[in-house]
Amino acid sequence: MRASAISELHPQPSADETTLIELGYKQEFHREFTPLEVFGVAFSFIGVVPSIVSVLFYAMPNGGPFAMVWGWTIACPFIMCIGLAMAELASAAPTSGGLYYWTYSLASPRCRNLLSWIVGYSNTIEIITGVASVNWACAIQITAAIRIASSDQTYATTNKQLYGIYTALVLSNAILVSFGTKVLARLQRLYMLVNVCLCFIIIIALPIATPPEYRNSASFALGEFTNLAGWPSGFAFILSLMAPLYTIGGYDASVHMSEEASNAATAIPWAIINSIVVSAILGWGINVSLAFCMGTDVGGILSSPIGQPMAQILYSSLGQRAALALWCLIISAEYIVASNSLLVGSRQTFAFARDGALPFSRYLYRINRYTGTPVNTVWFEAICILAIGLLAFVSTEAINAVFTIAVTASYVAFITPIATRFAFKNDFKPGPFHLGKFSFPVALIAVLWMVFMIIVFFFPATPQTTTQQMNYTVVVLGGFMFLAISWYYCPVYGGVHWFNGPISNLTPAIKDENRDEDSMSGKKEQRNADLSVLGV
């Protein structure tokens, strides 16, 4: 009788809400994202064409067309291993906290607080620097459009002008991402359409329009290794892998939308996998198309007055007007990547603040009553991104470091939960998506690959380098992590004294209601058993 009365007063939660309650959280967002739109978040976050445009300068001097085509081919299977390992975890515990929540659930009680703290901050740094890198690339692409439109292509910009454009982009991103969940969900369909059309234009239209003098033979496009960086050819090729690793680097985006997605335990893992597969295929097609249509003067493309290798290739193949039109579409797609990056980042920051780990958590853990979204975290991230942009006034290498930081910080965040699942004894129970006996070998390959590439990305672009030209990735990332760990161990006020991992925000009413409903109580106990740690 009591259970019946409660059911009338409090409608039964959906399956997604039930799962979230089992994980210790109440439903605070509106679940407006369909499985297709969750995929759209990850796919548009990756942004195949604009991301390739942003990092083509990594591949071209470190192998030319050979690195563009075969580097992509080699990197994608390893990226898929990372995605598969992450998809299993996302299916088992679909929450916006994602990576740090999984780490805490699967690690030993002796170290899980610290590991969860490190992963949470690595993930936060990854996303914030990722948004910064995308907006900086977009600012550079806007200046490249001005050069394409000018008669002599000699338009020059100062760092102050670039930072001004960058600031305008970041602020407009923040305004857009502050909208309601339903609006943001429906926008994903438009974003997907723009990105897919852009991919096919380059794959199909570019080879058709390219003049004969710029068309390359198969032996050049698929076999010409051009080393302009100065490293030994083998190591130069490894450095070129930064291009595919950065491009297909946003597949964890859907994880942080878990609490706004319907059928999250299934939709999130498949969004991760499908975004990698689709991006890998389309990206390879784009690189092949570029390799056949770029001409043979790789050095000339890199030193072009336009300032962007991709823009020069389009200009040579399509002419000024068509190249400018297509370049404007690329800028639009880059802006979409930036907006979705900020969207995803705001959800991860909200989850981390919900568990009290960030400065000003009491202000960041708030849902705006008008939009139903975490507007405070959106603007908190925007301020951090504007601060990171000031690195441009240090040196070009310093601001370029945010590109590699986005990859290395993400790998620190990815490695830890994947490794803790197998490094510690626990009773992990997979969700609807699982790999069975292939779980461990896939996870092992993923972890070894990420460790190796983190080390590689600390190297400078050329072997002969100055203080100004050094790779600042290790400095900036190390500085961020040093501050995070120092705060954790800070006497009296540090996280070691108060951070206890994910904190349940369920109200007593919700707990009592689910206790009265026996099935929920049983599921809660089962979930706790699934993720409980039995010891090292």
Side-chain angles (χ1 to χ4, degrees):
M1 187 64 141
R2 174 174 168 77
S4 176
I6 289 176
S7 295
E8 291 177 5
L9 292 172
H10 304 284
Q12 289 297 302
S14 67
D16 287 308
E17 292 173 356
T18 298
T19 300
L20 190 60
I21 290 171
E22 292 170 2
L23 297 174
Y25 299 119
K26 63 183 178 181
Q27 184 68 48
E28 296 179 276
F29 293 101
H30 299 294
R31 290 190 180 268
E32 297 284 357
F33 282 79
T34 65
L36 176 63
E37 290 160 350
V38 172
F39 163 77
V41 171
F43 179 65
S44 301
F45 187 112
I46 291 172
V48 181
V49 173
S51 294
I52 289 175
V53 170
S54 301
V55 291
L56 199 56
F57 64 89
Y58 278 102
M60 292 191 68
N62 289 299
F66 181 91
M68 292 163 59
V69 175
W70 300 115
W72 194 276
T73 306
I74 290 172
C76 284
F78 292 102
I79 296 172
M80 179 53 73
C81 286
I82 302 170
L84 287 169
M86 187 182 298
E88 278 200 296
L89 296 173
S91 184
T95 172
S96 296
L99 302 162
Y100 79 86
Y101 183 98
W102 306 334
T103 300
Y104 181 87
S105 300
L106 297 170
S108 166
R110 289 181 292 181
C111 60
R112 64 187 181 187
N113 286 354
L114 175 60
L115 290 179
S116 180
W117 179 279
I118 291 173
V119 170
Y121 272 95
S122 296
N123 204 192
T124 302
I125 292 165
E126 167 221 340
I127 295 176
I128 290 176
T129 55
V131 182
S133 68
V134 173
N135 276 300
W136 187 256
C138 193
I140 292 174
Q141 289 164 18
I142 290 172
T143 62
I146 298 173
R147 293 191 189 97
I148 293 173
S150 63
S151 57
D152 56 3
Q153 301 178 2
T154 57
Y155 173 78
T157 55
T158 64
N159 279 338
K160 289 183 179 180
Q161 291 171 324
L162 276 172
Y163 188 77
I165 298 171
Y166 173 85
T167 300
L169 291 170
V170 173
L171 295 179
S172 61
N173 286 159
I175 293 171
L176 177 60
V177 174
S178 296
F179 288 169
T181 302
K182 189 170 185 178
V183 174
L184 297 171
R186 299 299 92 83
L187 278 174
Q188 302 309 315
R189 303 187 183 196
L190 173 63
Y191 293 172
M192 283 188 289
L193 180 63
V194 170
N195 276 281
V196 170
C197 289
L198 192 53
C199 290
F200 282 109
I201 287 172
I202 294 177
I203 292 172
I204 298 173
L206 183 63
I208 295 174
T210 300
E213 61 267 27
Y214 289 105
R215 292 180 184 172
N216 294 323
S217 64
S219 60
F220 180 90
L222 304 179
E224 179 66 23
F225 192 94
T226 305
N227 186 352
L228 302 177
W231 289 105
S233 294
F235 190 72
F237 179 76
I238 293 173
L239 286 175
S240 76
L241 299 179
M242 174 63 191
L245 295 180
Y246 176 87
T247 301
I248 312 180
Y251 40 86
D252 66 316
S254 55
V255 170
H256 304 297
M257 304 305 296
S258 294
E259 295 176 31
E260 294 168 82
S262 58
N263 195 20
T266 301
I268 301 303
W270 282 110
I272 294 171
I273 294 166
N274 290 334
S275 63
I276 294 174
V277 170
V278 174
S279 299
I281 294 171
L282 292 176
W284 186 81
I286 290 166
N287 278 285
V288 170
S289 178
L290 292 174
F292 274 95
C293 301
M294 62 189 285
T296 58
D297 186 7
V298 177
I301 294 172
L302 290 170
S303 60
S304 161
I306 295 178
Q308 285 280 292
M310 180 79 140
Q312 182 58 52
I313 294 171
L314 297 179
Y315 187 90
S316 299
S317 296
L318 304 177
Q320 185 184 46
R321 290 187 178 180
L324 183 59
L326 184 55
W327 194 251
C328 288
L329 186 59
I330 290 173
I331 292 173
S332 300
E334 188 79 79
Y335 184 83
I336 289 170
V337 176
S339 296
N340 266 2
S341 300
L342 185 57
L343 167 65
V344 169
S346 67
R347 273 42 175 184
Q348 192 278 335
T349 302
F350 173 84
F352 208 31
R354 177 172 61 190
D355 293 319
L358 289 172
F360 316 112
S361 286
R362 60 181 296 187
Y363 302 105
L364 296 177
Y365 173 44
R366 292 184 181 179
I367 296 288
N368 186 279
R369 61 179 178 175
Y370 297 107
T371 65
T373 56
V375 173
N376 288 11
T377 60
V378 171
W379 288 95
F380 170 77
E381 292 216 346
I383 293 170
C384 294
I385 293 162
L386 290 174
I388 289 174
L390 295 174
L391 287 171
F393 297 102
V394 177
S395 71
T396 301
E397 287 72 23
I399 190 64
N400 284 344
V402 299
F403 289 89
T404 49
I405 290 171
V407 176
T408 51
S410 70
Y411 280 4
V412 171
F414 294 175
I415 287 170
T416 312
I418 293 173
T420 53
R421 177 184 167 187
F422 298 99
F424 300 103
K425 185 181 292 186
N426 54 67
D427 189 21
F428 173 80
K429 186 176 178 64
F433 177 87
H434 58 92
L435 299 176
K437 64 182 180 181
F438 295 105
S439 293
F440 178 73
V442 166
L444 180 63
I445 293 170
V447 169
L448 292 177
W449 170 258
M450 288 187 283
V451 170
F452 173 67
M453 292 312 301
I454 286 174
I455 297 171
V456 169
F457 290 147
F458 287 153
F459 281 80
T462 60
Q464 294 79 32
T465 187
T466 64
T467 303
Q468 284 291 101
Q469 296 173 330
M470 71 170 284
N471 185 341
Y472 281 87
T473 302
V474 67
V475 177
V476 180
L477 177 60
F480 274 126
M481 296 311 300
F482 175 78
L483 290 175
I485 295 174
S486 296
W487 185 34
Y488 182 80
Y489 284 111
C490 178
V492 183
Y493 301 105
V496 69
H497 301 290
W498 48 264
F499 180 70
N500 294 307
I503 303 171
S504 175
N505 66 353
L506 296 177
T507 63
I510 294 176
K511 292 179 180 178
D512 290 343
E513 177 181 342
N514 286 283
R515 188 179 299 115
D516 288 328
E517 300 295 334
D518 294 338
S519 60
M520 176 60 70
S521 179
K523 290 179 182 178
K524 172 75 174 178
E525 291 171 3
Q526 180 62 49
R527 174 67 62 165
N528 289 340
D530 292 342
L531 296 180
S532 64
V533 177
L534 303 179
V536 179

